[in-house]
PDB file of all heavy atoms in Angstrom:
ATOM      1  N   ILE A  46      -4.313 -65.145 -14.098  1.00 98.00           N
ATOM      2  CA  ILE A  46      -3.565 -63.990 -14.588  1.00 98.00           C
ATOM      3  C   ILE A  46      -2.079 -64.178 -14.277  1.00 98.00           C
ATOM      4  O   ILE A  46      -1.217 -63.965 -15.124  1.00 98.00           O
ATOM      5  CB  ILE A  46      -4.078 -62.689 -13.947  1.00 98.00           C
ATOM      6  CG1 ILE A  46      -5.536 -62.456 -14.349  1.00 98.00           C
ATOM      7  CG2 ILE A  46      -3.192 -61.514 -14.332  1.00 98.00           C
ATOM      8  CD1 ILE A  46      -6.206 -61.299 -13.618  1.00 98.00           C
ATOM      9  N   MET A  47      -1.791 -64.591 -13.057  1.00 98.00           N
ATOM     10  CA  MET A  47      -0.426 -64.867 -12.629  1.00 98.00           C
ATOM     11  C   MET A  47      -0.488 -65.992 -11.607  1.00 98.00           C
ATOM     12  O   MET A  47      -1.364 -66.009 -10.751  1.00 98.00           O
ATOM     13  CB  MET A  47       0.209 -63.628 -11.998  1.00 98.00           C
ATOM     14  CG  MET A  47       1.608 -63.869 -11.463  1.00 98.00           C
ATOM     15  SD  MET A  47       2.251 -62.457 -10.530  1.00 98.00           S
ATOM     16  CE  MET A  47       2.917 -61.487 -11.862  1.00 98.00           C
ATOM     17  N   GLU A  48       0.445 -66.934 -11.733  1.00 96.00           N
ATOM     18  CA  GLU A  48       0.428 -68.070 -10.827  1.00 96.00           C
ATOM     19  C   GLU A  48       1.824 -68.272 -10.255  1.00 96.00           C
ATOM     20  O   GLU A  48       2.760 -68.614 -10.986  1.00 96.00           O
ATOM     21  CB  GLU A  48      -0.050 -69.310 -11.573  1.00 96.00           C
ATOM     22  CG  GLU A  48      -0.356 -70.479 -10.695  1.00 96.00           C
ATOM     23  CD  GLU A  48      -1.041 -71.577 -11.473  1.00 96.00           C
ATOM     24  OE1 GLU A  48      -0.543 -71.985 -12.543  1.00 96.00           O
ATOM     25  OE2 GLU A  48      -2.098 -72.031 -11.005  1.00 96.00           O
ATOM     26  N   ASN A  49       1.942 -68.069  -8.962  1.00 94.00           N
ATOM     27  CA  ASN A  49       3.222 -68.219  -8.281  1.00 94.00           C
ATOM     28  C   ASN A  49       3.737 -69.650  -8.429  1.00 94.00           C
ATOM     29  O   ASN A  49       3.005 -70.594  -8.203  1.00 94.00           O
ATOM     30  CB  ASN A  49       3.069 -67.860  -6.797  1.00 94.00           C
ATOM     31  CG  ASN A  49       4.395 -67.746  -6.077  1.00 94.00           C
ATOM     32  OD1 ASN A  49       5.461 -67.845  -6.664  1.00 94.00           O
ATOM     33  ND2 ASN A  49       4.323 -67.522  -4.779  1.00 94.00           N
ATOM     34  N   GLY A  50       4.977 -69.772  -8.830  1.00 92.00           N
ATOM     35  CA  GLY A  50       5.588 -71.090  -8.957  1.00 92.00           C
ATOM     36  C   GLY A  50       5.500 -71.693 -10.342  1.00 92.00           C
ATOM     37  O   GLY A  50       6.338 -72.497 -10.716  1.00 92.00           O
ATOM     38  N   SER A  51       4.490 -71.331 -11.118  1.00 93.00           N
ATOM     39  CA  SER A  51       4.349 -71.935 -12.447  1.00 93.00           C
ATOM     40  C   SER A  51       5.029 -71.115 -13.532  1.00 93.00           C
ATOM     41  O   SER A  51       5.275 -71.615 -14.621  1.00 93.00           O
ATOM     42  CB  SER A  51       2.869 -72.105 -12.807  1.00 93.00           C
ATOM     43  OG  SER A  51       2.298 -70.848 -13.154  1.00 93.00           O
ATOM     44  N   GLY A  52       5.274 -69.847 -13.253  1.00 92.00           N
ATOM     45  CA  GLY A  52       5.849 -68.974 -14.267  1.00 92.00           C
ATOM     46  C   GLY A  52       4.815 -68.305 -15.152  1.00 92.00           C
ATOM     47  O   GLY A  52       5.148 -67.477 -15.990  1.00 92.00           O
ATOM     48  N   TYR A  53       3.527 -68.683 -14.980  1.00 96.00           N
ATOM     49  CA  TYR A  53       2.478 -68.065 -15.801  1.00 96.00           C
ATOM     50  C   TYR A  53       2.291 -66.622 -15.364  1.00 96.00           C
ATOM     51  O   TYR A  53       2.107 -66.340 -14.180  1.00 96.00           O
ATOM     52  CB  TYR A  53       1.153 -68.824 -15.669  1.00 96.00           C
ATOM     53  CG  TYR A  53       0.147 -68.402 -16.713  1.00 96.00           C
ATOM     54  CD1 TYR A  53       0.049 -69.100 -17.907  1.00 96.00           C
ATOM     55  CD2 TYR A  53      -0.668 -67.301 -16.522  1.00 96.00           C
ATOM     56  CE1 TYR A  53      -0.852 -68.716 -18.887  1.00 96.00           C
ATOM     57  CE2 TYR A  53      -1.573 -66.904 -17.495  1.00 96.00           C
ATOM     58  CZ  TYR A  53      -1.662 -67.619 -18.675  1.00 96.00           C
ATOM     59  OH  TYR A  53      -2.552 -67.223 -19.641  1.00 96.00           O
ATOM     60  N   ARG A  54       2.365 -65.724 -16.329  1.00 97.00           N
ATOM     61  CA  ARG A  54       2.201 -64.296 -16.046  1.00 97.00           C
ATOM     62  C   ARG A  54       1.678 -63.605 -17.301  1.00 97.00           C
ATOM     63  O   ARG A  54       2.313 -63.660 -18.350  1.00 97.00           O
ATOM     64  CB  ARG A  54       3.533 -63.682 -15.630  1.00 97.00           C
ATOM     65  CG  ARG A  54       3.452 -62.198 -15.361  1.00 97.00           C
ATOM     66  CD  ARG A  54       4.856 -61.631 -15.091  1.00 97.00           C
ATOM     67  NE  ARG A  54       4.821 -60.186 -15.052  1.00 97.00           N
ATOM     68  CZ  ARG A  54       4.859 -59.469 -13.946  1.00 97.00           C
ATOM     69  NH1 ARG A  54       4.927 -60.063 -12.772  1.00 97.00           N
ATOM     70  NH2 ARG A  54       4.823 -58.163 -13.984  1.00 97.00           N
ATOM     71  N   ALA A  55       0.517 -62.978 -17.185  1.00 98.00           N
ATOM     72  CA  ALA A  55      -0.050 -62.259 -18.318  1.00 98.00           C
ATOM     73  C   ALA A  55       0.801 -61.032 -18.644  1.00 98.00           C
ATOM     74  O   ALA A  55       1.352 -60.396 -17.745  1.00 98.00           O
ATOM     75  CB  ALA A  55      -1.475 -61.819 -17.990  1.00 98.00           C
ATOM     76  N   LYS A  56       0.891 -60.723 -19.905  1.00 98.00           N
ATOM     77  CA  LYS A  56       1.521 -59.469 -20.300  1.00 98.00           C
ATOM     78  C   LYS A  56       0.584 -58.339 -19.898  1.00 98.00           C
ATOM     79  O   LYS A  56      -0.630 -58.507 -19.898  1.00 98.00           O
ATOM     80  CB  LYS A  56       1.755 -59.438 -21.812  1.00 98.00           C
ATOM     81  CG  LYS A  56       2.759 -60.454 -22.277  1.00 98.00           C
ATOM     82  CD  LYS A  56       2.906 -60.433 -23.776  1.00 98.00           C
ATOM     83  CE  LYS A  56       3.880 -61.514 -24.197  1.00 98.00           C
ATOM     84  NZ  LYS A  56       3.920 -61.699 -25.638  1.00 98.00           N
ATOM     85  N   GLY A  57       1.139 -57.203 -19.536  1.00 98.00           N
ATOM     86  CA  GLY A  57       0.319 -56.045 -19.194  1.00 98.00           C
ATOM     87  C   GLY A  57      -0.105 -55.978 -17.743  1.00 98.00           C
ATOM     88  O   GLY A  57      -1.066 -55.283 -17.405  1.00 98.00           O
ATOM     89  N   MET A  58       0.596 -56.685 -16.857  1.00 97.00           N
ATOM     90  CA  MET A  58       0.278 -56.631 -15.426  1.00 97.00           C
ATOM     91  C   MET A  58       0.332 -55.197 -14.891  1.00 97.00           C
ATOM     92  O   MET A  58      -0.346 -54.870 -13.926  1.00 97.00           O
ATOM     93  CB  MET A  58       1.245 -57.510 -14.621  1.00 97.00           C
ATOM     94  CG  MET A  58       1.055 -58.998 -14.795  1.00 97.00           C
ATOM     95  SD  MET A  58      -0.462 -59.630 -14.076  1.00 97.00           S
ATOM     96  CE  MET A  58      -0.225 -59.283 -12.350  1.00 97.00           C
ATOM     97  N   ASN A  59       1.112 -54.355 -15.547  1.00 97.00           N
ATOM     98  CA  ASN A  59       1.228 -52.953 -15.118  1.00 97.00           C
ATOM     99  C   ASN A  59      -0.085 -52.190 -15.274  1.00 97.00           C
ATOM    100  O   ASN A  59      -0.230 -51.101 -14.729  1.00 97.00           O
ATOM    101  CB  ASN A  59       2.340 -52.251 -15.900  1.00 97.00           C
ATOM    102  CG  ASN A  59       2.082 -52.278 -17.402  1.00 97.00           C
ATOM    103  OD1 ASN A  59       1.852 -53.325 -17.997  1.00 97.00           O
ATOM    104  ND2 ASN A  59       2.142 -51.123 -18.031  1.00 97.00           N
TER     105      ASN A  59
END
Side-chain angles (χ1 to χ4, degrees):
I46 297 172
M47 177 188 275
E48 191 170 51
N49 191 5
S51 75
Y53 192 93
R54 178 186 171 103
K56 294 177 183 171
M58 289 291 297
N59 59 307

